[in-house]
Amino acid sequence: GAGVSQTPSNKVTEKGKYVELRCDPISGHTALYWYRQSLGQGPEFLIYFQGTGAADDSGLPNDRFFAVRPEGSVSTLKIQRTERGDSAVYLCASSLGGDLEAFFGQGTRLTVV
Amino acid sequence: AQSVTQPDIHITVSEGASLELRCNYSYGATPYLFWYVQSPGQGLQLLLKYFSGDTLVQGIKGFEAEFKRSQSSFNLRKPSVHWSDAAEYFCAVGARYGNKLVFGAGTILRVKS
């Protein structure tokens, strides 16, 4: 596609449930990033993929968060046992070859009730 | 530790007036600096970036920014603001081929007619 696509755009889930957020990067971009943006804050880094592997997952807040990119294109961010504090906008970005000039998707707004 | 400070949470300017948004960073290596804009419900759009060379960089939509190493600053400017510039602006720093950007908390720009 022309840009980074994230689905769903909005997700409401109950506390304790499992959610998956999808990111479809720009075709040919090998680097993919996930960020989390809480209300009133700037985006915070979660994880970075170069190809299929997670090159840096130091931003994942705890072991309830996990992300995959099995074929080096689409990525899924998975959150287990969601908590109200996980409510945020989750942003995905991709770049060509890991240059930080990344293009961002519109985000998935996750609300945990 | 890497950090970005945007001292102004909100700024209001009149349409046609000049604009300067402040950004100060703390970064241990050679910084690569970015300004992004985020309109409501939209993803982050890159306005401009500084990697090296001329410290005054031009971006899209008539924006420019000046890198001042001695002041650890990368302020964003526009000579004449348009109502459509109302949005939230984020400054970010990273290593060019690094794995993540560190964002400031953002500055919300309001434009009054």
Side-chain angles (χ1 to χ4, degrees), chain B residues 29-89:
Chain B
T30 300
Y32 293 101
L33 295 153
F34 304 80
W35 275 98
Y36 283 87
V37 61
Q38 187 176 41
S39 298
Q42 302 296 312
L44 292 161
Q45 181 182 19
L46 180 66
L47 284 176
L48 49 78
K49 62 187 184 291
Y50 172 76
F51 287 161
S52 64
D54 191 348
T55 57
L56 184 64
V57 294
Q58 303 297 321
I60 63 171
K61 304 184 179 186
F63 286 92
E64 67 179 25
E66 186 171 14
F67 172 58
K68 293 185 177 180
R69 184 184 298 275
S70 62
Q71 298 177 19
S72 298
S73 70
F74 188 57
N75 294 349
L76 182 71
R77 301 194 294 251
K78 186 170 185 178
S80 178
V81 169
H82 188 263
W83 64 266
S84 61
D85 294 324
E88 189 162 17
Y89 292 79

Side-chain angles (χ1 to χ4, degrees), chain A residues 64-113:
Chain A
R64 295 186 297 104
F65 288 75
F66 189 71
V68 295
R69 196 186 184 199
E71 297 178 355
S73 179
V74 171
S75 176
T76 304
L77 178 66
K78 308 181 181 195
I79 310 174
Q80 298 177 320
R81 303 183 306 279
T82 52
E83 300 177 357
R84 293 195 179 89
D86 299 334
S87 296
V89 176
Y90 289 81
L91 297 168
C92 177
S94 69
S95 72
L96 191 61
D99 185 314
L100 274 177
E101 187 172 350
F103 295 84
F104 282 80
Q106 293 190 342
T108 294
R109 180 177 299 278
L110 175 66
T111 304
V112 182
V113 298

Side-chain angles (χ1 to χ4, degrees), chain A residues 17-89:
Chain A
K17 299 291 188 183
Y18 168 83
V19 296
E20 290 189 350
L21 312 180
R22 176 188 167 107
C23 173
D24 201 337
I26 293 172
S27 178
H29 280 192
T30 59
L32 185 145
Y33 311 81
W34 284 99
Y35 288 82
R36 179 168 71 173
Q37 186 175 18
S38 301
L39 193 63
Q41 301 295 319
E44 293 180 299
F45 170 77
L46 294 177
I47 187 169
Y48 159 61
F49 287 90
Q50 183 59 255
T52 60
D56 184 349
D57 63 358
S58 62
L60 294 177
N62 51 61
D63 62 5
R64 295 186 297 104
F65 288 75
F66 189 71
V68 295
R69 196 186 184 199
E71 297 178 355
S73 179
V74 171
S75 176
T76 304
L77 178 66
K78 308 181 181 195
I79 310 174
Q80 298 177 320
R81 303 183 306 279
T82 52
E83 300 177 357
R84 293 195 179 89
D86 299 334
S87 296
V89 176

